[in-house]
Amino acid sequence: MVDFDDVNNPNLGKDLVDSLPLFGELSARERNILAAVFRVRVIDDGETLCREGDRGASFFIVAKGIIEVHKELPNDQREKLAEIGPNNLIGQVALIDGKPRSATCLARGRSLVLECARDDFDRLFQAGSPFALKIIDQVVIDLSKRLREANQQLIELYSNPKQTLLLLHEAALNIQQTITA
């Protein structure tokens, strides 16, 4: 089990890659290649991993800890959208569309992540790396899940218009109170 006491260990990247179930089906050689490609980052409590609107030049795999995903709102406020734990990807959409980040990600507690630059991923993909194909597969699964959740939210909004209007009215009152406070 990799711990934060290991952050100065030169083999930390390899140890993390070896410990994550995401890479369990890869050969030792393939995991060694990934360990050489990934950059290990320690993210302290409250520290920003990536910021909404920034260029998506890399993606991350949470190795240890929790990363919170927030949507930036007006007046320097944020809405927490999700919590991402170990063995999960963050920022992978940037691999596909190259667009700016759609959310801000912050560490909740100390966290370890593996970072893969887009250029490195492109080289792995062009070389036919099973890892790159697995990441693309994970992106498709994740986007499908998000689409299904968005569809379910739309169904809930449209199936009960009275409740939706009450919630919108309540939100408008809260915004008005915030503005006049």
Side-chain angles (χ1 to χ4, degrees):
M1 179 74 171
V2 178
D3 201 346
F4 289 107
D5 295 335
D6 299 330
V7 294
N8 294 322
N9 175 355
N11 295 319
L12 180 59
K14 181 176 177 347
D15 293 345
L16 289 172
V17 167
D18 287 343
S19 72
L20 290 171
L22 182 64
F23 306 127
E25 296 174 12
L26 300 179
S27 70
R29 180 182 171 277
E30 291 164 338
R31 289 193 312 273
N32 286 338
I33 291 169
L34 291 184
V37 169
F38 283 124
R39 177 178 156 222
V40 177
R41 289 186 53 189
V42 177
I43 312 297
D44 289 320
D45 185 35
E47 185 179 343
T48 300
L49 176 63
C50 58
R51 189 171 309 283
E52 182 177 338
D54 287 353
R55 184 175 158 264
S58 61
F59 74 97
F60 310 92
I61 299 171
V62 180
K64 189 169 181 75
I66 300 291
I67 303 295
E68 294 181 345
V69 180
H70 294 262
K71 187 70 179 163
E72 299 292 337
L73 302 173
N75 300 324
D76 294 326
Q77 294 186 344
R78 293 185 169 129
E79 178 73 23
K80 184 166 77 168
L81 303 176
E83 293 181 352
I84 309 296
N87 205 45
N88 286 289
L89 306 173
I90 296 176
Q92 68 273 29
V93 175
L95 294 175
I96 295 172
D97 66 9
K99 303 279 187 207
R101 302 274 186 208
S102 61
T104 295
C105 297
L106 308 166
R108 188 183 80 208
R110 200 164 190 214
S111 300
L112 280 171
V113 298
L114 295 169
E115 182 176 18
C116 182
R118 183 185 177 114
D119 292 342
D120 290 332
F121 180 81
D122 287 344
R123 281 191 285 281
L124 289 170
F125 185 78
Q126 294 302 323
S129 165
F131 164 74
L133 299 175
K134 186 167 187 146
I135 293 299
I136 295 294
D137 190 42
Q138 288 295 317
V139 169
V140 170
I141 290 168
D142 183 59
L143 292 177
S144 297
K145 179 182 169 201
R146 289 184 196 185
L147 180 60
R148 289 183 189 279
E149 289 170 354
N151 285 340
Q152 186 58 42
Q153 289 175 342
L154 286 173
I155 289 169
E156 290 170 11
L157 286 173
Y158 286 114
S159 66
N160 193 348
K162 185 176 180 180
Q163 179 66 26
T164 299
L165 289 172
L166 287 172
L167 289 171
L168 287 171
H169 178 71
E170 184 180 313
L173 289 176
N174 287 338
I175 291 169
Q176 185 179 21
Q177 288 175 351
T178 302
I179 293 171
T180 59

